[in-house]
Amino acid sequence: MAYVISSDCVSCGSCAGACPVSAIAQGDEHYEIDASSCIECGTCADTCPVGAISQG
Ligand code: SF4
Ligand code: SF4
């Protein structure tokens, strides 16, 4: 399963810069992961300061 971003996201942008395949972008309410692009490396989850990213 791809990684997902929860509503805990504070839109800092750190995960988007860390993703090797540019699968993360700002969405309507918080940052979002494009599940079809995510290669499940886990880098974003390690980068998020508020623990908003987990494996879906
Ligand atoms: S798990 Fe890896 S590939 Fe998927 S969104 Fe996070 S950083 Fe990008
Ligand atoms: S690193 Fe965490 S808080 Fe920052 S934009 Fe990504 S999901 Fe949101």
Side-chain angles (χ1 to χ4, degrees), residues 5 9-16 31 47-50 52-53:
I5 296 175
C9 171
V10 295
S11 296
C12 71
S14 296
C15 57
Y31 274 66
T47 302
C48 182
V50 295
I53 308 178

Side-chain angles (χ1 to χ4, degrees), residues 5-49:
I5 296 175
S6 77
S7 58
D8 290 338
C9 171
V10 295
S11 296
C12 71
S14 296
C15 57
C19 180
V21 294
S22 301
I24 308 176
Q26 175 78 69
D28 289 340
E29 298 185 355
H30 54 73
Y31 274 66
E32 297 175 346
I33 294 172
D34 175 6
S36 64
S37 298
C38 176
I39 58 172
E40 302 172 29
C41 68
T43 302
C44 55
D46 292 339
T47 302
C48 182

